[in-house]
Amino acid sequence: MVVSASDIFQARNVALIGATDKSHWPRNIYANMIESGFDGNLWPINPRRDEIFGVKCYPDLRSTPRPADLALMIIPAAAIPETLASGAEVGLKSAVVYAAGFGDGGRPESIERGKKLKSQLSNLDISVCGPNCMGLVGVREKLYCYPHAHIRNLEPGPTALITQSGGTLSYYLRAGAERGITFSYAVSSGNEISLDLSDYINFCIDDPETKQICLFIEGIRKPEAFMRACGRALEAEKPIIAIKTGRSQKSREAAQSHSGAVSGDYAGYEAVCERYGIINCETLEEMIEMTVGFQQRRWPQGPRVAFMTTSGGTVDLLHDYCEEQGTSVPDLSEATIEKIRPFVPSDCHIRNPIDTGAPVGKSGKSSPVEICKAFASDPNVDIVAWCNNMPGSARSSGAENEIVDLLKSTEKPVFSFARMPHQIPDGGLDFQKRTGMPFVQGTRIGVRVANALWFFSQRRGKTPSTPNDPKGERDRCDGEALITSLEQIGIQKPRSLMVQTPEDAGKAAAEIGFPVAIKIVSPQASHKTEVGGVSLGIQNSENAKTAAFEMEERLKSAHPESTVDGFLIQEMVSGVEVLVGARTDPLYGPMLVLGTGGTMVELIRDISLSLLPVSEIQIRHMIENLKLKEQLAGWRGSPEADIDALIKAILSLSTFYLDHRTWLKDIEINPLMVLPKGHGVRAVDVRTVLHN
């Protein structure tokens, strides 16, 4: 069965099943549809009534004048399966199921009912929104199937909203309208037993009037389909602006309880955002402002932002936020400084960000506008951000033409940001709409909008890379064969010898040359340091023998049933400790894990994830976002590390994992020791987990 959201939004014959004037949901939905001017047929269904809402009421779907395209089912969960089955017999194409109790809540009867409904729908040619949802809105179609009375007669626009939280839909539409956002579609998707996030995203991508898509995500049920849809949105240059629950364990548990969603690892989701250009927001308020900022649809050619303010305090905050967010704040060219000089007081220090104080007018020109024009003409500037409240009717006289002229003077993004949120003045939204200037609220969000524009611009129009099918052989994935395989792709281990007894450890240490490291090899010592299975800096044969004997005793004391396969004697190498690993996330697929390595990796948590495959550029970007970069650059007098060799090793390990992921569940090198520049890397400890 092929489902499509278009089956719902193209419906012209709609049946309201469960119509009653005793409940506000059916009453409000009927009123929303009628008062918004839906020009199709809307038939109330209730076997106990001949008339309702002042019109004829029908007993069932078989009795309507023509077959219904869409059924709005505001009836108990137990009645849904039979109603869908009878609808299918008379050609019903789609339905909105509002009732809960289909896999949500964690109750056994709900879970079983959900399984049965999903099985039933697999045999019916009906596209279903829900269950456990609050409906949806097609603004241009005037299809208002949502139960809140204030959701009607919306102005059509370019933004689609898809939310797994039913109540969030009405709050977001109201808050968005108050900020000048207009909508094409709004969907409360519920438990998504039939249509899911990817289906709605694909529908909005195919809609020429929809230019950006907002998502409230509790869980992603079909990750591969979701990523394909996000890839299509990226290719179509339609930004996805999202917020997702699930950062905390309690949030993940709550999502599973009330929506049946699987939240998965949030870091994995963030890696999906990075690859597919999803603008991931911290709060709903930020998502509103981000949506406003993206309405201009101007994509920068680089990350460099010029900020104009009239406040020294705001300049200080901008410096803080830009450092926090990694924002590029370029120096202004001499030509730009000279252009600005006539429009600022003589004692103004012209720099970026600039505090103009009280700007100086010249020849009737608007000083702020002329300063922004100077910013925009600077080849070192890609984005112009003007700290300015939204003008209202009292302030807009003459300003409108000046801002229109500013925007016509450049193709670069130019937007305004207020120091902090404020009430929209009368006429403000009309001013924003007529000029095309986004007015976002808040200094920090202004910085985040600028960064997000560049983030999306780098990825837009491109098809994200996906892994090739694995072709590697099983016998290369563990033991000495794995070490040989890694050496063949350029990942060398320190010089090492494997021995069976503590006595042999002393001889092997002397053969390698002191100092050496000794590590116990045992199935019960996958994390060797936790069982005292590592000894470093051994300086002579007797100490080597003693160290091996003592670590065997420690392991036996902690795990009496343990077996010792031997001892690994390695030359000591020094450098920057890096963790490099690859694994397959159960939701999002193969991933690279990169970060600061060593024994305290869990405590430090300086880790970055990326979907595989990765490029050299992507790896460099990952390193730039880690504290690790400071160590690699040469921390406190230490030599610069061999970053090029590190990147080559990461690329090689990633390719090896992708080729062998049929057999390898997880591979990790910790630490991968990065030696001084020109001396390469050494894989000190390699750990693998094979699929059963």
Side-chain angles (χ1 to χ4, degrees):
M1 182 194 69
V2 178
V3 297
S4 172
S6 62
D7 290 337
I8 293 176
F9 289 110
Q10 292 175 2
R12 308 314 299 155
N13 296 315
V14 180
L16 180 60
I17 303 176
T20 174
D21 47 15
K22 297 179 181 179
S23 173
H24 73 277
W25 276 39
R27 187 172 63 242
N28 286 351
I29 288 173
Y30 186 87
N32 286 348
M33 294 276 284
I34 296 300
E35 293 190 24
S36 296
F38 178 66
D39 59 1
N41 294 302
L42 180 57
W43 300 310
I45 305 288
N46 187 330
R48 297 183 180 85
R49 300 286 294 269
D50 295 324
E51 181 181 304
I52 196 168
F53 310 137
V55 299
K56 180 177 174 58
C57 189
Y58 298 88
D60 52 40
L61 287 170
R62 297 179 182 277
S63 306
T64 56
R66 283 183 292 280
D69 304 316
L70 169 64
L72 309 179
M73 298 187 174
I74 314 176
I75 54 178
I80 295 295
E82 182 181 348
T83 307
L84 283 169
S86 63
E89 292 175 2
V90 293
L92 182 68
K93 295 184 178 69
S94 61
V96 178
V97 177
Y98 296 85
F102 292 93
D104 49 271
R107 292 171 290 112
E109 60 269 27
S110 172
I111 294 170
E112 184 61 27
R113 189 185 293 121
K115 290 179 180 178
K116 288 182 178 178
L117 179 60
K118 189 169 186 177
S119 176
Q120 178 190 18
L121 289 174
S122 67
N123 297 312
L124 297 179
D125 192 21
I126 298 178
S127 300
V128 173
C129 175
N132 188 24
C133 73
M134 290 182 67
L136 44 81
V137 175
V139 179
R140 294 194 311 275
E141 295 85 352
K142 303 185 185 300
L143 191 71
Y144 286 82
C145 311
Y146 192 84
H148 289 183
H150 66 272
I151 303 300
R152 62 177 64 155
N153 291 318
L154 298 175
E155 178 185 349
T159 302
L161 171 66
I162 306 161
T163 168
Q164 291 175 329
S165 166
T168 299
L169 184 148
S170 85
Y171 282 99
Y172 199 88
L173 290 188
R174 174 180 281 178
E178 291 172 352
R179 297 290 294 109
I181 302 171
T182 52
F183 295 88
S184 54
Y185 297 98
V187 178
S188 158
S189 62
N191 289 3
E192 299 180 347
I193 279 182
S194 173
L195 295 168
D196 78 330
L197 283 177
S198 61
D199 296 307
Y200 297 116
I201 293 170
N202 281 320
F203 172 78
C204 293
I205 294 166
D206 293 335
D207 174 46
E209 302 299 322
T210 298
K211 305 300 182 184
Q212 57 186 2
I213 302 166
C214 297
L215 303 179
F216 183 104
I217 307 170
E218 294 174 353
I220 300 171
R221 293 175 174 82
K222 301 175 185 176
E224 290 186 7
F226 175 78
M227 288 187 284
R228 284 195 301 271
C230 292
R232 289 191 66 221
L234 201 58
E235 292 169 22
E237 300 192 11
K238 296 191 176 187
I240 293 178
I241 301 169
I243 189 169
K244 184 181 182 299
T245 64
R247 289 180 186 269
S248 67
Q249 180 61 33
K250 287 188 179 296
S251 175
R252 291 192 289 273
E253 291 171 355
Q256 290 182 7
S257 173
H258 71 255
S259 72
V262 180
S263 293
D265 180 28
Y266 198 90
Y269 163 73
E270 289 178 315
V272 171
C273 292
E274 175 71 28
R275 178 60 54 89
Y276 287 90
I278 300 168
I279 295 93
N280 191 38
C281 298
E282 296 177 348
T283 65
L284 285 168
E285 295 86 351
E286 178 182 298
M287 194 160 82
I288 288 284
E289 301 306 321
M290 199 69 74
T291 306
V292 171
F294 268 70
Q295 286 192 136
Q296 192 178 69
R297 290 188 62 78
R298 291 191 177 191
W299 314 129
Q301 298 302 305
R304 300 164 299 180
V305 190
F307 294 94
M308 188 191 73
T309 83
T310 57
S311 162
T314 302
V315 167
D316 295 341
L317 285 175
L318 284 169
H319 282 302
D320 290 342
Y321 296 148
C322 287
E323 182 173 322
E324 170 193 275
Q325 301 294 328
T327 308
S328 175
V329 183
D331 292 333
L332 302 174
S333 70
E334 286 300 322
T336 299
I337 291 172
E338 291 306 311
K339 287 179 184 178
I340 291 173
R341 196 172 301 281
F343 297 98
V344 296
S346 59
D347 60 349
C348 176
H349 186 184
I350 301 175
R351 58 183 178 179
N352 181 27
I354 187 173
D355 166 19
T356 66
V360 178
K362 180 184 178 183
S363 303
K365 294 181 178 180
S366 165
S367 298
V369 168
E370 294 304 313
I371 293 169
C372 286
K373 283 183 180 179
F375 280 166
S377 67
D378 192 320
N380 296 327
V381 172
D382 302 300
I383 303 167
V384 178
W386 173 6
C387 184
N388 182 32
N389 284 8
M390 181 184 290
S393 301
R395 293 181 56 211
S396 62
S397 177
E400 182 177 325
N401 292 337
E402 292 168 349
I403 289 182
V404 169
D405 183 55
L406 165 62
L407 296 181
K408 284 182 178 179
S409 72
T410 181
E411 294 181 352
K412 297 177 181 179
V414 182
F415 69 90
S416 290
F417 66 96
R419 298 186 204 186
M420 62 184 67
H422 62 89
Q423 186 172 353
I424 303 299
D426 290 341
L429 295 184
D430 288 338
F431 185 91
Q432 178 176 255
K433 182 178 180 180
R434 290 194 303 269
T435 60
M437 171 77 89
F439 286 84
V440 301
Q441 298 207 359
T443 304
R444 186 171 183 271
I445 185 59
V447 174
R448 287 182 61 81
V449 167
N451 287 347
L453 288 169
W454 171 234
F455 169 82
F456 178 76
S457 184
Q458 294 174 85
R459 294 158 178 78
R460 66 190 175 91
K462 300 175 183 177
T463 303
S465 55
T466 55
N468 294 325
D469 293 335
K471 298 178 181 178
E473 299 172 352
R474 165 68 176 81
D475 58 10
R476 298 186 67 199
C477 294
D478 61 353
E480 287 301 314
L482 173 66
I483 302 305
T484 301
S485 297
L486 294 180
E487 289 177 348
Q488 289 172 348
I489 61 175
I491 301 176
Q492 304 291 326
K493 293 198 69 162
R495 188 180 175 211
S496 60
L497 290 171
M498 181 75 176
V499 298
Q500 301 300 313
T501 68
E503 288 75 13
D504 292 336
K507 299 175 184 177
E511 182 178 342
I512 288 175
F514 300 103
V516 298
I518 301 178
K519 302 174 184 178
I520 198 166
V521 179
S522 166
Q524 288 75 39
S526 60
H527 294 285
K528 296 176 177 57
T529 56
E530 294 180 6
V531 293
V534 177
S535 194
L536 305 176
I538 302 298
Q539 296 289 343
N540 57 61
S541 297
E542 191 61 33
N543 287 348
K545 184 172 70 173
T546 301
F549 178 78
E550 289 177 349
M551 65 178 62
E552 182 175 17
E553 282 197 328
R554 284 193 294 269
L555 179 64
K556 290 287 187 181
S557 176
H559 301 282
E561 77 290 353
S562 64
T563 58
V564 176
D565 297 331
F567 302 90
L568 183 67
I569 317 301
Q570 289 183 325
E571 68 170 321
M572 288 288 294
V573 292
S574 60
V576 178
E577 293 183 324
V578 177
L579 180 148
V580 182
R583 62 181 176 84
T584 296
D585 185 275
L587 287 181
Y588 307 118
M591 287 197 174
L592 169 68
V593 184
L594 174 64
T596 299
T599 59
M600 301 180 71
V601 60
E602 290 90 356
L603 180 63
I604 297 172
R605 295 193 65 80
D606 183 34
I607 294 292
S608 178
L609 272 70
S610 175
L611 296 184
L612 290 173
V614 289
S615 66
E616 178 180 334
I617 292 174
Q618 288 166 332
I619 294 171
R620 289 189 185 275
H621 179 71
M622 292 174 75
I623 293 172
E624 277 299 308
N625 288 314
L626 292 168
K627 296 176 183 176
L628 173 67
K629 70 177 180 181
E630 305 291 345
Q631 289 184 275
L632 294 171
W635 178 251
R636 292 191 173 180
S638 61
E640 180 184 353
D642 200 336
I643 297 176
D644 290 339
L646 170 62
I647 292 171
K648 184 178 179 181
I650 294 169
L651 285 170
S652 297
L653 185 71
S654 300
T655 301
F656 180 82
Y657 176 76
L658 287 176
D659 283 343
H660 295 82
R661 67 186 188 276
T662 301
W663 320 108
L664 278 175
K665 185 176 183 180
D666 190 319
I667 184 168
E668 178 184 286
I669 304 176
N670 182 29
L672 178 68
M673 198 71 75
V674 187
L675 307 183
K677 188 173 183 178
H679 291 78
V681 298
R682 298 291 185 273
V684 174
D685 197 358
V686 180
R687 182 183 66 84
T688 61
V689 179
L690 298 176
H691 289 292
N692 295 329

